[in-house]
Structure formats: structure tokens, C-alpha cells
Amino acid sequence: MSTLDIHAISTALDNAARFQEEIDPLTPVHGFNLDDAYLIQRASIALRHARGELPVGIKLGFTSRAKMIQMGVDSLIWGLLTDAMLYEEGAVVDLSGFIHPRAEPEVCFLTKRDIDRPLTLLEASSYLEGVAPAIEIIDSRYRNFKFTLEDVVADNCSSAGLVVGALSSNITDLANLGVALRFNGKPMQIGSTGAILGDPLRSVVQASRLAARAEMVLPAGSLIMAGAATGCPSIDRRHACQCRNQFLRAC
Ligand code: 0L1
Ligand code: MG
């Protein structure tokens, strides 16, 4: 019986991200399950930490029907974020550092207390410092963005970058904010924050459950990317792009 070489697989994924070289999906060859995929994900993040990158939070993926349908999966997944993935609001992002980037309009929470157990929806907002509109840049390391659920989890759920907008302490009424993703002023995706589990605050509940199951504490000051509110268009990697975020609240 063959054993899984987690170090070799995580290094292959890490190198693909570092050198922008897409690779074939790994499960057809290595046949790993979801638990193994999370071990591979942790091992590839450990390689980033060993290079000096610092943890800044977590991301949830596939929290909306639109994303599940787009990618043909039916489970929520999560990945780990580092400071090297963070871009300043309004910063120019050089897309040549990615393979085939896509942009997702998201909601991002900043925690103010350690999350060390599963939270209820009623408790969730008391653990939060604020909320911000955000863009996630995802960039699958797999050829043509094609993968199984286990593949994408091993690949840290395609995490590649995030741009977090202005933080607001108003954490109420997030369940139906307008979302518009524009490229150079042209609307590409229109939606509602309600697409994220009915209310993005539910992503904090899910994050607390996932962290507890993984016996991990989410320290105060962590970012929680709640997941995409719409499907995500590709962006042309020959160009740089400037990313800005704004909540659209009805007046
Ligand atoms: O919603 C997400 O951030 C999921 C990312 C993983 C799947 C993908 O690459 O689209
Ligand atoms: Mg996302």
C-alpha cells in the first residue's frame, strides 16, 4: 500500500504558486481524501510561514450557491490567509504574479476576541471589531482552474490575494447589501450579500465551527473572509489592476 507524501505534494503546490506554473490536478495520481487535503493545505502554509509569512486569518469558500454552481461542488471549504496575500485598498496589483487570477466580491470581518469554540449566530457579532467590503483574488494552481473538491482544499482553496476596504463597526443589517463588481467601471457581477449563507454573519459561525473542529483558536485580530457574493470573472493577467471596495447600503 502506498503512503501519501504530504511534503512532496505540498511543495509542488507551493512551488506552483511561487513560480506561477500551473500543474495537473493531484487527486487522479495521489487519490487523497478531504482529511488528507487539509493536511496538505496546512503543510503548504507551513512552508510560507517558514519563509516569514505571518497568519492573518482564514477564508471560507463556496458559501454561496452561485460559487457552488460555478465550480460544480456542494460543500463549504476553508483556507488560511497570510500577510503576503494582503494588498492595500487602492493598491495597484501586478497580475503577472498570478497564473489565471479571478476576482470575487466578498465581505470581510475583523475579530476582536479569540474565537476558541463554536459560536451561535446570536453571539457572533460580539466577537467582531468590524466588517469591511473586500475583494478576494483567487488563483487556482491547477491547469484551467479544473479540480476536485479535495484538490482545491489542498491548494488552500485557491487563495492568492485579498484587498480589504474601509472597516465599519456597524455589523448590523448585512444580510442584503448590494454588491457590484466593476472592472474599469464596467459592471461584471451584480448581487447581494444575502447570497453568502443568507447572511454573511453566518460565515463567522461556520468559521468558529471549522476552527473548533480543527482544534485551532482564531486569535483576536483575525480576518475572516466570508466567501463570494457572486460568481467570479477572470481578470487579464497581462495588466495591473487597482482594487477598491465600497459597501452599497440602501438609503
Ligand atoms: O469561494 C472561494 O473562495 C472558493 C475558492 C476555491 C474555488 C475556486 O478556485 O473558485
Ligand atoms: Mg472567495
Side-chain angles (χ1 to χ4, degrees):
M1 200 168 81
S2 68
T3 52
L4 197 62
D5 190 341
I6 289 185
H7 177 71
I9 298 173
S10 58
T11 302
L13 282 163
D14 185 57
N15 283 341
R18 284 175 75 195
F19 305 115
Q20 300 93 46
E21 284 169 2
E22 58 188 4
I23 59 175
D24 289 321
L26 296 159
T27 45
V29 176
H30 299 283
F32 49 82
N33 63 26
L34 203 53
D35 289 339
D36 292 331
Y38 278 108
L39 292 179
I40 295 165
Q41 181 194 109
R42 299 293 183 274
S44 82
I45 288 294
L47 295 172
R48 286 174 171 263
H49 291 166
R51 290 196 294 274
E53 293 184 31
L54 298 171
V56 294
I58 66 170
K59 67 161 273 184
L60 272 69
F62 300 147
T63 50
S64 75
R65 293 289 305 152
K67 272 295 294 190
M68 283 188 189
I69 290 166
Q70 182 180 23
M71 306 314 293
V73 300
D74 60 6
S75 305
L76 196 152
I77 56 175
W78 66 306
L80 305 175
L81 304 171
T82 74
D83 60 343
M85 301 174 190
L86 264 175
Y87 292 91
E88 287 297 321
E89 168 82 345
V92 174
V93 179
D94 178 2
L95 296 176
S96 66
F98 301 85
I99 300 169
H100 36 207
R102 295 181 179 184
E104 295 184 329
E106 300 222 2
V107 169
C108 181
F109 295 101
L110 176 66
T111 64
K112 70 175 173 197
R113 294 161 64 185
D114 291 356
I115 298 182
D116 53 4
R117 64 180 176 82
L119 303 179
T120 64
L121 188 58
L122 280 177
E123 294 171 310
S125 54
S126 69
Y127 281 73
L128 298 173
E129 182 71 36
V131 61
I135 295 170
E136 184 181 23
I137 302 172
I138 54 169
D139 192 28
S140 175
R141 271 50 76 163
Y142 300 116
R143 208 173 303 290
N144 302 323
F145 246 100
K146 292 270 185 289
F147 41 70
T148 63
L149 189 65
E150 291 79 9
D151 280 315
V152 71
V153 166
D155 185 24
N156 198 27
C157 306
S158 305
S159 304
L162 61 150
V163 184
V164 182
L167 198 71
S168 160
S169 55
N170 182 359
I171 302 163
T172 54
D173 299 332
L174 297 175
N176 190 22
L177 298 177
V179 175
L181 181 67
R182 299 191 190 94
F183 284 180
N184 296 330
K186 184 172 156 213
M188 304 293 286
Q189 297 279 330
I190 303 286
S192 157
T193 52
I196 306 167
L197 297 175
D199 179 342
L201 206 51
R202 290 209 173 90
S203 289
V204 177
V205 174
Q206 291 296 338
S208 71
R209 288 186 188 160
L210 290 162
R213 202 177 305 148
E215 299 182 354
M216 175 178 153
V217 173
L218 270 181
S222 294
L223 299 175
I224 300 176
M225 290 287 276
T230 68
C232 55
S234 306
I235 35 187
D236 189 336
R237 71 186 280 281
R238 289 169 304 178
H239 303 301
C241 76
Q242 192 180 33
C243 300
R244 288 193 185 281
N245 291 287
Q246 191 183 11
F247 269 143
L248 304 176
R249 283 190 189 268
C251 4

